[in-house]
Amino acid sequence: LLEEINCKERIKSSLPTELVGDCHNLRADFVGLTESGKILNIEFQSTKITSKDKARFTKYDVLLIEKYQKEVITIIISTYEEESREVMFNLHKGSNHMYLVVLNNIDGDKLYKDILKKQQMNMNMSKKDIADLSLLPFFYSKESKEEIVYKIAKLMAKLNMEKDELSYLKFNLNLYIDKFVKNREILKKIHGEINMMEYLEDMIIEIEARLLNEREQRGKENTKIEVAKTMMESNYSKKEILRISKISEEQFNRLQTS
């Protein structure tokens, strides 16, 4: 996305999206710290930007500047506007950049087919694939935004990617549900996919924990046997070997005959 708007900033880490102002808690869509030490605020906009929206974005900027005492860059990704442009806002801590980004010149349907093909071939997803999938609702498509969000949810659990990449997609998916999904039937299908994905994640964690425990147990057993062998070579008595090494009598007998 940052490359798409020719922005040289790179995100170093994410920051809390909760903002406090005028006794009200506000929530930005995404806030991050860039490698150059600036604050990056990304907002997703599905309707025409009104004067009320502009005031809200400006308030976010002011609150972020007050909180972090750093320059703020705001990116508004719109599905409504027709062209990208940069807007300058002069606030109390210097000049801040606000970009309006329109991505509907990118063929989202083609990108989705390419990602789906890679998934069917069990290929690893590149960072660009993950970024494209996360921004799919903002690209050109013949389908509705609701159907696109459902397609993202349906595909997510099948992709071969790292846990942090999955967390990133889940974060965006929840944002898109709030922004775009109004149809109850589609919302029900999306939550069904999310529930299945979370079930699979829990099952994977359980299996990984069980395998780790089994490896640890095997390691402990191997250690016991090595201790017993060393004691046998040093002519310790059977009673002492069983007491110190903690091996079973059956294991002791097998070692004697091996």
Side-chain angles (χ1 to χ4, degrees):
L1 169 63
L2 298 180
E3 291 176 358
E4 183 69 30
I5 62 170
N6 296 318
C7 180
K8 296 181 180 179
E9 300 294 334
R10 292 295 177 267
I11 296 172
K12 181 179 180 181
S13 60
S14 59
L15 297 171
T17 55
E18 295 79 9
L19 304 171
V20 179
D22 300 332
C23 300
H24 295 289
N25 288 336
L26 304 173
R27 183 184 291 274
D29 288 337
F30 174 85
V31 180
L33 176 67
T34 70
E35 292 179 354
S36 66
K38 298 175 184 177
I39 301 299
L40 182 66
N41 173 33
I42 299 178
E43 296 295 318
F44 300 105
Q45 185 75 12
S46 59
T47 58
K48 182 179 180 180
I49 296 176
T50 64
S51 56
K52 187 176 180 181
D53 292 320
K54 292 177 182 177
R56 175 168 57 89
F57 297 145
T58 303
K59 180 178 284 188
Y60 287 172
D61 271 16
V62 172
L63 291 173
L64 287 168
I65 291 169
E66 289 178 347
K67 184 174 182 178
Y68 295 106
Q69 297 295 304
K70 296 178 183 294
E71 181 181 342
V72 175
I73 299 173
T74 295
I75 299 174
I76 307 160
I77 306 176
S78 173
T79 59
Y80 183 91
E81 301 292 330
E82 295 182 354
E83 62 179 3
S84 301
R85 60 182 182 273
E86 179 181 355
V87 183
M88 296 295 292
F89 286 80
N90 292 310
L91 302 178
H92 65 289
K93 281 284 183 179
S95 181
N96 290 270
H97 299 269
M98 187 173 290
Y99 298 92
L100 175 65
V101 180
V102 177
L103 302 173
N104 57 16
N105 60 323
I106 299 172
D107 190 342
D109 293 334
K110 182 180 182 303
L111 288 175
Y112 177 80
K113 287 179 182 177
D114 292 342
I115 294 171
L116 183 61
K117 185 177 179 181
K118 290 182 74 171
Q119 179 269 318
Q120 291 169 342
M121 296 173 66
N122 199 31
M123 296 173 64
N124 290 329
M125 295 294 114
S126 67
K127 290 189 179 297
K128 184 180 185 305
D129 293 328
I130 302 300
D132 287 342
L133 188 61
S134 70
L135 291 170
L136 208 60
F138 297 94
F139 299 147
Y140 167 78
S141 175
K142 295 177 181 178
E143 298 187 79
S144 69
K145 302 300 180 190
E146 291 177 314
E147 287 292 344
I148 293 170
V149 175
Y150 172 58
K151 285 168 70 173
I152 295 173
K154 194 173 181 179
L155 186 57
M156 273 174 56
K158 302 175 183 178
L159 295 178
N160 190 5
M161 57 185 170
E162 300 295 328
K163 287 182 180 180
D164 59 336
E165 294 171 335
L166 180 59
S167 297
Y168 167 72
L169 278 179
K170 285 174 69 176
F171 175 82
N172 282 348
L173 181 64
N174 287 323
L175 284 177
Y176 299 155
I177 290 171
D178 292 338
K179 295 281 184 183
F180 300 120
V181 182
K182 309 300 178 186
N183 184 295
R184 289 186 178 181
E185 287 302 313
I186 295 178
L187 186 61
K188 186 177 178 180
K189 290 196 294 182
I190 291 172
H191 282 302
E193 294 294 336
I194 292 173
N195 290 338
M196 177 56 70
M197 179 170 54
E198 290 176 347
Y199 168 76
L200 292 172
E201 285 179 338
D202 290 341
M203 186 171 66
I204 290 169
I205 291 170
E206 183 182 335
I207 291 171
E208 287 177 344
R210 189 171 72 243
L211 291 174
L212 178 61
N213 184 57
E214 289 174 357
R215 284 196 295 271
E216 288 176 349
Q217 290 301 320
R218 285 198 298 271
K220 288 177 181 177
E221 288 301 316
N222 290 337
T223 300
K224 290 179 184 179
I225 289 169
E226 289 302 317
V227 169
K229 283 181 178 178
T230 302
M231 293 180 73
M232 281 182 174
E233 291 169 359
S234 300
N235 297 316
Y236 279 82
S237 69
K238 176 181 176 180
K239 185 177 179 179
E240 288 175 313
I241 292 171
L242 293 178
R243 181 176 61 84
I244 295 173
S245 70
K246 309 295 185 187
I247 65 170
S248 67
E249 192 159 340
E250 183 183 349
Q251 287 173 314
F252 177 86
N253 293 334
R254 281 203 302 267
L255 286 175
Q256 268 195 324
T257 56
S258 63

